[in-house]
Amino acid sequence: MNLEHEDKWLQQLKARLDDHETPPDDQLWEALVARMAQPKPMPVKPRLRVYYILSGVAAAVIAFLFLLPIFNKGNRNEVKDNGNIVAISTEPLPKGKETMPCADEPIQANTTASSDVINVKSEDLKDYTPTGKRDNRSGARVHPKTTLEQSETRSSANRQHFDQSISKAETNIADKLTSTLTEGHEDEALIASAQTATPTVQEAQPAVDKRQETLTAAERWAMNTPQPSSRDTREVQKALAKQAGSFRERIDRWSMRTYAGNVAYASTALSPMSINDLFSISSSGKEEYLSWDKPVLMLRSSYDDNTIDLDDASFSHSSPFSVGATFVRNIGKGMFVGSGLFYSMHRSTFSTTHRGYDLTGKQLISFLGVPLQVGYNLYQNDRFRLYAFADGSLEIPLQRKVRINGNISDIRLTNSEIVRKEKLQFAIGAGAGAEVRINNFIGFYAEPELHYYINNNSGINTIYKQSPLNVNLNFGLRFVLD
Amino acid sequence: MIFTPAEEKQLVSDLHHQDPKAMWRLYDGYAGLLMSTALRYTGDYDQAQDVLQEGLIKIYNNVQRFEYRGTGTFKAWMVRIVSNEAIAWLREKKRSALVFPDYDLPDKDTVDINGDDPEVEMVPNDELMKMIGTLPTGYRTILNLVVFEARSHREIAEMLGISENTSASQFHRAKKALKTKILDYLSHNQI
């Protein structure tokens, strides 16, 4: 294109700058040689988008957590099958079979008229079974060959002591059976307390002498004890936990948390938000954006005539508002893991100049996030829980809307676009939470959390860019799923 | 560094024969010029250097395909590669910082585009570079394409995916904005 006659000054400009040189950095040549020395990348299949991979990982984690109870259940069934007491007989054992059966081995059914079949796990009777030690390799219990004749020589004092031990052991068995029948979980505190109360081998040695009586007692208890109510179970467990001297681990394994949250204090300003700021997006702000005259996609070229560059605009960011749901699983030892989805909305205002006009506007960006959380219960009882956690999250930008208000009457500048190639946002965080349980199934919690948003070199100006370190406050409900 | 036609032809021949020393001669002779080209597009030194690095790698990797056709052709070929690289970079990096309103604001500034030409000769080259660098991205890009690469508005429209009218309008505004800056500079320095 030939510059027009009246653009003579542009011709002069071209002449001045055509051969103008700007020396590059001294390190550029070395960097260039290093780049050239690298082998040329082989053409490879397009890699999966990072967020597909991470979403897959999150889905796999969730699936694993769901399947874990099934595997555990299978293991428990196996033990149960091996340890089920099919029947307990009140008949005297035949001569030569005086050795008390191992608690881990099924006692064969004796189908006499006096026998009653009960479905009691022998595992739960192991504390009751007073004899022997477990073989470390086989796991089978080894019993001393105590005979009836030997037992007859015991003194009456020993018998009295044994009776007390048996009574104590029965109480523990009853408690544990209650727990097992109602909850189906092994609780370390329960086991610890039950074992504390179990008579030692020496104390219980006369059990062989009294095996008929003890079996009868167990049978009598098993037949006469009614199925405990849930409330009874909780009370029993609470008592046992107190007896064990430690806080009982929460027995619900699966829960779902729904929450809403906001950044209560941004690290840059450290000033509290007003209620209006907190909820403006979900109320009037949303309606305002929906009422745009032409909320159409305008993915024009960046060199279009009416492009406004916000790169140098002055931004003021409000705290993001988010809602979400997370599935949490207790994995034992007071620890839990969780993952789910959340949706967050970011609102910003900005001011800039364009063609001599002072412009102000609003920017609204929405993200879909996938969190992954690991936590530990610091303290808990039936009604209250304190915990700490660390998490990481991936946020996928979904949409950005910009509304510009010019100081010119009757002019409304709008823009709305689906963010297609915007970069993902990663964050790491740590925090603590407190939960108050409303009833057996619902709890209310609040979680202050410190989040650090990793710079993704995005061109979009968000609070993550301006203030990577943020304090979040999430609050919500937790529903027990099992 | 200015190459004579014979030196430039020899340089291209050496590059065709993959002479390692020729790579350094090319860098030593043209890096400053190409850096200046990249800087006119990006307006930022560090970003211009990134563009230059990518551009030089493309030049080295594609020089075998270049056919020498006379004085100045090699330089023009390299400048075009770097400017294309700069445009690609701008498309990628700047896209998310731009909004595209559905109404085109009129110009508020009152500079008379048809008034006296500014005395460009009175302004140092570095200042002119800064003035171009501070133009809005769209203005700066089209000004570079029209003035320094002699592209027509039709070519620009095809290259950038915009209409010819838009390209012409952007160029008009770019001229006016740059003229304002030059006049302001001359006025401020009482030249």
Side-chain angles (χ1 to χ4, degrees), chain A residues 35 39 87 99 119 124 150 208 254 260 289 324 339 359 402 442 454:
Chain A
R35 281 281 304 275
T99 303
N119 191 25
D124 298 320
Q150 287 172 320
V208 179
W254 277 103
Y289 280 91
S339 187
L359 304 175
V402 177
I442 302 176
I454 298 164

Side-chain angles (χ1 to χ4, degrees), chain A residues 258-296:
Chain A
T258 59
Y259 64 90
N262 206 327
V263 181
Y265 298 89
S267 61
T268 49
L270 290 176
S271 58
M273 296 181 64
S274 69
I275 295 297
N276 285 338
D277 285 341
L278 195 65
F279 295 106
S280 58
I281 287 171
S282 58
S283 55
S284 60
K286 187 71 178 174
E287 292 170 3
E288 182 181 20
Y289 280 91
L290 288 175
S291 67
W292 282 0
D293 291 339
K294 297 177 181 177
V296 295

Side-chain angles (χ1 to χ4, degrees), chain A residues 3 44 72 81 104 133 146 157-158 169 204 224-225 257 296 346 349 400 410 415 438 461 466 482:
Chain A
L3 295 173
V44 292
N72 286 343
D81 291 340
D104 290 330
K133 295 177 180 177
T146 309
N158 281 344
N224 296 335
T225 304
R257 307 181 331 144
V296 295
H346 295 235
T349 58
R400 178 173 74 149
D410 300 330
N415 167 249
I438 299 168
N461 200 324
Q466 182 176 315
D482 57 4

Side-chain angles (χ1 to χ4, degrees), chain A residues 284-298 348 350 361-365 399-405 412-417, chain B residues 99-102:
Chain A
S284 60
K286 187 71 178 174
E287 292 170 3
E288 182 181 20
Y289 280 91
L290 288 175
S291 67
W292 282 0
D293 291 339
K294 297 177 181 177
V296 295
L297 301 182
M298 282 168 279
S348 311
F350 60 84
K362 292 179 182 177
Q363 176 181 264
L364 196 61
I365 305 177
Q399 188 174 36
R400 178 173 74 149
K401 290 181 179 179
V402 177
R403 175 176 173 176
I404 297 172
N405 301 310
R412 173 174 283 185
L413 304 174
T414 60
N415 167 249
S416 175
E417 63 174 312
Chain B
V99 294
F100 317 110
D102 57 358

